[in-house]
Amino acid sequence: MKRYFLFIIIILSILKILTLSSCANIIPPTGGPRDSLPPVLINAVPKDSALNFKAKKITLTFNEYVQLDNTIQTNLIVSPTPNQTPYVSSHLQNVTINLKDTLQPNTTYAIDFGNTLKDVNEGNAYKNFTYVFSTGNSIANGNISGQVLMAQTGTSDSTLIVILHKNLNDSAIKKLKPDYYTRLDSGGNFRFRYIANGTYNVFVLPNDYTKKYDDSTKTFAFLNAPVTIDSTPSSRLMLYAYNEYAPGKEQTNTTSQSSASSNKKKVDTSSIKFGTNMQRNEQDLLSDLVISFQKSLAQFDSSKISLSDTNFKPITNYTIHADTLYKNFSLNYPWKEDEYFKLIIQKDAFTDSAGKTLAKGDTLTFQTESESDYGSIRLNFSNIDISRNPVLQFVQGSKIVDSFAISQQVFYRKLYKPGDYEMRILYDADKNMTWTPGNFELKRQPEIVISIPRKLTIKSNWDNEVNVNL
């Protein structure tokens, strides 16, 4: 009996040891650094940079489990552009590429995955992974690089692509698929590699399905002359993209403020209502007083709008003019600081197309701001080219709030509205103070805007001096 119990105890002890050992084997270690490395290619069949390529399937094996972004079929770039995009899939450590097109003889192909190839655990992307092969005896080594900026703003747009066409007819970009295309990075830079030597036209377009300039409302850029790619190093290309139908002048950043006559909770459709651009019933010293309507009007009678002092003594040296849409009516007057006014608007001063007028006459009482509410500004341009007709643009958000023609190295304003501004320089070739887009048919490049890297902060009651280096 004792032997029997001893035997049972020994068996239970062995089982406990085995159980603990087994549990220890399946518990993963904790802690340690996070994996931040992308997958590494350890094998390719056929091998990368293979010559005399004849396969229909390519298998790429990595050092860890990999996955493909769900945008792979739209973000994959195959150069030269095939009629049918290869089908790409992943499983465990392998990525398989099934070629659907007939390959051209003596041609170098590059399959660019962009940032769509990632490891499974941490999602680390193998950035711009490219598999290359040639159906001939050598790998083409032609390359060209450059940058694309938006002509109207001087900024970049990474959603655009750069296109190469061997066919040098102007109609090629409108009718034919590109021979090569590539992406832009966040700074608007691009680079073509493994390009066959030759002469190409260069264009920029949105990365849509057609990749053609088949709609003149698309963003577009072109070079005036073809480029030749050969064994000699080429200079970086510079292209300026534009939309031919973009407005030449962006809206000024005017804030509407409802007057007393329009500040009603219940909507009254029997009369028209207006707002002004004043803040806190204070008029900006540097701008017109603007009366605004939501819809275009049919007529207005300036004789039924009068400006006076607080004692209703008429003021005469002002003008009122309407914009082209008959929605905004600007009263121009040489405002001085800390003055008080009344603006008297008669009921039938404004009339819409249905004959509706204001519900009643209105009197707006307001004062002008103080000079101490503004800051002075002096900009010293060290290398501005006056011969190119530069126009200084002050920008807030996406709105141009002011434009000034620059005729000398120093720009000065005694009074300027405090705030944070972006600054840009428009090289105004046609001297109309507004940006002019390009035209491919006329071979006219767009006017160029240069973004000034530094922001400008203007403080009230402060002398603001800044050195600007373009």
Side-chain angles (χ1 to χ4, degrees), residues 42 117 154 160 171 189 223 230 251 310 324 329 340 385 405 424:
I42 58 175
L117 177 60
L160 301 175
S171 60
N189 301 292
L223 289 182
D230 53 28
Q251 296 287 331
T310 53
T324 56
F329 301 84
Y340 291 81
D385 187 351
R424 305 193 303 224

Side-chain angles (χ1 to χ4, degrees), residues 14 72 110 169 416:
I14 293 173
I72 178 63
N169 293 322
Y416 206 83

